[in-house]
Amino acid sequence: MRRSFFQHDFCSTHTFISPPWGLQRNASRSNRTIFCALTPHPLLTSPKAQKAFLTDVWGQKPYLLRNLLPVQSLTPDELAGLSLHLPSRIIRGRGDGETQGPYTLENGPFSEHSFATLPDRDWTLLVDRVNQCVPQVADLLDNFRFLPNWRLDDVMISYAPMGGSVGPHVDNYDVFLLQTSGRRLWKTAYSPINIHQERLVPGLDVRILQGGFKSDEQWVLEPGDALYVPPRYPHHGISMGDDCVTYSIGFRAPSVASLLSGWITELVHQQGLWDHLLKDDLHALLESISDPSRLSDATIEKAYNTVLSKLRDDKGTKRLFRTWFASHVSQLGGGANEQDEASADEAEMEQMILDILDLNENASDFVVRQKEGSVFVYLVGGEKVCMYIDGEEWHADNTQLASFICGRRSRSAAEYARLYKSHPSLKPLLRNLLHAGLLYVDGSTLVDELYYEGTDSGLERSVD
C-alpha cells in the first residue's frame, strides 16, 4: 500500500472510529483528553527508582504501582471500532462468584450484530497491537524508556463489563497491567508456574489454569494504577463494574529456541555450509571393517566437534552474531508486516524536509514520528554505528544521531532543526527513513481533529 509520508494512515484514521454500539452500558460521557497532567510517578522519571525496580522486582515478583500513569482511556466503542482492523477476540466467562467460567473464545473481526447480542456481564473484548494503530497509545510507551526498546511486544487493550475475566492464567512475558477506566480486582501468586507444572482446563480454546491457583495477594486497581507481573506468574483479573478498561503493556524476550534456530540458519547461509561435508574419521573407518552396522563413538565425536567448531566464539562469528541479533530483535515488534512507501514527489518531500530542518513557520507544528509498531535500536561497533529497524540496517554517522532517531517515538520539528545545525548528515538520513515509511510527519492539530472526529457523533453515549 502506497501512502504519503505526511499523513500517516494509522488504521485508516477516518474509519477506525466506531459507530455508537453502546458497549459501555452505564457510563457517562467524558471530555477527550489523552494525558492527565499529574506529578509523574518516580518509576517513570527517577533513575534511582528505576534501578531499584529492575534490581529488586523485575522478573522476580508481582508488584503494585499506585497512580503510575493516569490517562484518559479509549472508550469501549472506540475499542470495538479497532477490533475491525486489529487482531481481536471475545472471551465469555464469569470471573467472580463461587461458580466461575465456563470460558469460551470467539475471534474477530466482529460486527455490530456481534456486540448487540452480548449479555450485560461476564465477557471481555481484547484487541491486540493497538500501539501499532493509534499513535496516542504508542506515545504511552515512551514512559517506559528505562526498559530496552527491543523488549517491547505490544499494547493490548481490554474492556469488560461486570464479572468479565479471561480466567486464571500465566503469560510468557513481562507485563504492566494499567487500569485506565473503572476498577478491576487482581489475584496473584508469588510463585511462578513453569511449563512442566502448568495444567490447563482440557477442551478449551483459551489457556485457563485447571483448578486456578492459590492467591497470595489481591488488589483492586483504580484508574492510573498498574500491576507488574513477571513471566509465568499466575494472575486472575475480574471486572468490578461496567466501565473496566485495562491496557496490557507487554515486554517479551525471545526464546532461546528461536535464537538458536534463527542463528544457526543465518550461520549456515552466511558461511555457505550447505556444501561443507562431514569429513571421515580414519579411526572410525578402520573400526567399521569388522562391524559396519555399528555407529562408533569416534564418528559421533567427530560430528559433534565439527558442529561446535562452526559455533565457536571467534571474532568473525561473534561479529556476525552481533549484527544478526540486532536485526532479529528489531523485528519482534511486528512493524515489518506492512512496508509503507512515500507517495509524494521528490520536490514536495525536499521542501518539507527543508521546512523542518530550517524550522520554517509552516513546519512549527510538525511532529516527526516513528512508524507505529516498529522497533528502533542501534548498535555501536568500533567506529561504525548502525540502526536496526524492522530487521533492516541503516547507517548513522555517530551515536548522537542514532540515539536521537531511535530514542523517542516522536520529536518536534524544533528538535530536528537544533540537531541539524551541528549534524548536517541528519538531512539524508531523515530523507531515507521518510522514503522507507519508517518515519512520517504529522501536523499535530490535523491528526487530533481526525482522531477525535467521532466525539460529537454519539461515539460515547450514556445508557441509563
Side-chain angles (χ1 to χ4, degrees):
M1 175 177 67
R2 295 180 61 84
R3 65 191 185 197
S4 169
F5 52 79
F6 181 65
Q7 281 180 241
H8 187 61
D9 183 19
F10 53 95
C11 278
S12 301
T13 311
H14 288 78
T15 59
F16 90 83
I17 298 296
S18 70
W21 287 344
L23 296 193
Q24 197 169 348
R25 305 295 169 86
N26 299 292
S28 61
R29 190 181 181 92
S30 62
N31 292 327
R32 292 294 301 175
T33 304
I34 288 293
F35 295 100
C36 300
L38 300 176
T39 302
H41 192 283
L43 181 62
L44 307 182
T45 58
S46 167
K48 182 178 179 181
Q50 292 163 358
K51 182 178 180 180
F53 178 82
L54 294 176
T55 302
D56 301 328
V57 177
W58 183 259
Q60 301 172 50
K61 60 184 177 182
Y63 194 77
L64 178 65
L65 296 154
R66 290 288 185 197
N67 199 33
L68 176 70
L69 190 60
V71 302
Q72 181 64 47
S73 178
L74 290 179
T75 67
D77 277 354
E78 287 173 321
L79 198 60
L82 287 168
S83 73
L84 302 178
H85 303 274
L86 296 171
S88 58
R89 56 203 183 279
I90 291 175
I91 296 178
R92 301 188 188 220
R94 181 167 184 169
D96 59 357
E98 295 183 3
T99 304
Q100 298 181 9
Y103 296 96
T104 60
L105 173 69
E106 303 169 42
N107 288 308
F110 299 105
S111 65
E112 183 175 355
H113 176 73
S114 302
F115 294 109
T117 57
L118 287 170
D120 288 337
R121 55 168 295 155
D122 302 334
W123 55 269
T124 303
L125 168 66
L126 304 103
V127 182
D128 294 323
R129 306 178 188 173
V130 180
N131 59 299
Q132 297 183 22
C133 198
V134 183
Q136 286 81 357
V137 173
D139 284 346
L140 288 175
L141 301 172
D142 277 336
N143 292 283
F144 297 89
R145 290 196 62 243
F146 60 94
L147 295 166
N149 286 3
W150 63 269
R151 285 293 309 274
L152 176 69
D153 185 32
D154 77 341
V155 178
M156 179 188 73
I157 300 182
S158 65
Y159 163 71
M162 176 66 74
S165 173
V166 300
H169 66 284
V170 298
D171 295 317
N172 289 317
Y173 48 84
D174 300 90
V175 63
F176 291 90
L177 299 162
L178 176 65
Q179 194 67 22
T180 62
S181 175
R183 302 163 72 231
R184 185 182 291 273
L185 170 67
W186 282 104
K187 301 178 181 181
T188 63
Y190 285 125
S191 298
I193 297 177
N194 65 44
I195 192 67
H196 303 294
Q197 297 171 321
E198 187 178 23
R199 298 291 181 269
L200 302 177
V201 177
L204 296 184
D205 294 322
V206 289
R207 299 175 64 86
I208 305 296
L209 293 174
Q210 190 171 36
F213 62 91
K214 182 181 178 181
S215 173
D216 294 318
E217 195 80 62
Q218 297 188 24
W219 292 289
V220 174
L221 270 63
E222 306 277 353
D225 296 341
L227 176 65
Y228 164 72
V229 183
R232 307 301 306 177
Y233 279 76
H235 51 290
H236 184 194
I238 306 161
S239 172
M240 300 182 68
D242 290 324
D243 56 350
C244 180
V245 179
T246 304
Y247 287 27
S248 298
I249 304 168
F251 292 82
R252 187 186 301 272
S255 69
V256 176
S258 70
L259 288 178
L260 189 59
S261 62
W263 168 235
I264 289 177
T265 299
E266 177 71 9
L267 194 62
V268 168
H269 173 72
Q270 291 291 339
Q271 296 190 2
L273 297 181
W274 293 113
D275 296 327
H276 288 217
L277 304 179
L278 179 65
K279 294 182 179 180
D280 289 315
D281 179 84
L282 179 58
H283 180 66
L285 285 175
L286 295 176
E287 284 186 346
S288 69
I289 294 175
S290 59
D291 189 355
S293 62
R294 179 178 178 178
L295 189 59
S296 68
D297 292 341
T299 298
I300 294 174
E301 188 72 13
K302 177 69 174 181
Y304 180 72
N305 290 332
T306 299
V307 170
L308 287 187
S309 70
K310 299 301 179 182
L311 297 173
R312 69 180 181 274
D313 189 17
D314 61 28
K315 291 184 179 180
T317 303
K318 189 171 184 178
R319 184 166 54 249
L320 179 61
F321 182 83
R322 282 169 53 84
T323 58
W324 171 82
F325 182 81
S327 174
H328 179 74
V329 298
S330 75
Q331 299 178 63
L332 298 182
N337 293 337
E338 294 184 8
Q339 186 63 41
D340 303 318
E341 299 176 2
S343 59
D345 60 38
E346 291 294 328
E348 183 181 352
M349 172 174 279
E350 288 302 315
Q351 184 58 54
M352 185 189 65
I353 291 174
L354 287 174
D355 287 345
I356 293 171
L357 298 182
D358 293 339
L359 201 59
N360 292 342
E361 183 177 347
N362 60 338
S364 59
D365 291 333
F366 286 179
V367 175
V368 182
R369 305 183 65 96
Q370 296 177 357
K371 177 186 173 185
E372 278 72 39
S374 294
V375 176
F376 284 62
V377 297
Y378 72 93
L379 182 65
V380 180
E383 298 181 357
K384 185 179 180 181
V385 181
C386 292
M387 302 184 301
Y388 292 85
I389 310 169
D390 291 345
E392 296 294 325
E393 182 180 271
W394 299 83
H395 292 277
D397 280 357
N398 52 61
T399 57
Q400 188 173 353
L401 276 178
S403 180
F404 179 84
I405 295 293
C406 297
R408 286 175 52 190
R409 287 169 177 80
S410 64
R411 292 190 184 274
S412 68
E415 291 177 278
Y416 272 83
R418 284 194 297 268
L419 184 63
Y420 177 60
K421 290 180 180 179
S422 57
H423 294 78
S425 62
L426 175 61
K427 183 177 180 179
L429 183 59
L430 175 60
R431 180 191 300 116
N432 291 337
L433 293 175
L434 287 170
H435 262 302
L438 297 172
L439 294 179
Y440 70 95
V441 179
D442 78 44
S444 57
T445 302
L446 173 62
V447 170
D448 285 345
E449 289 173 354
L450 292 174
Y451 181 68
Y452 301 132
E453 69 173 350
T455 300
D456 296 322
S457 62
L459 179 65
E460 302 174 48
R461 66 177 182 179
S462 175
V463 179
D464 297 328

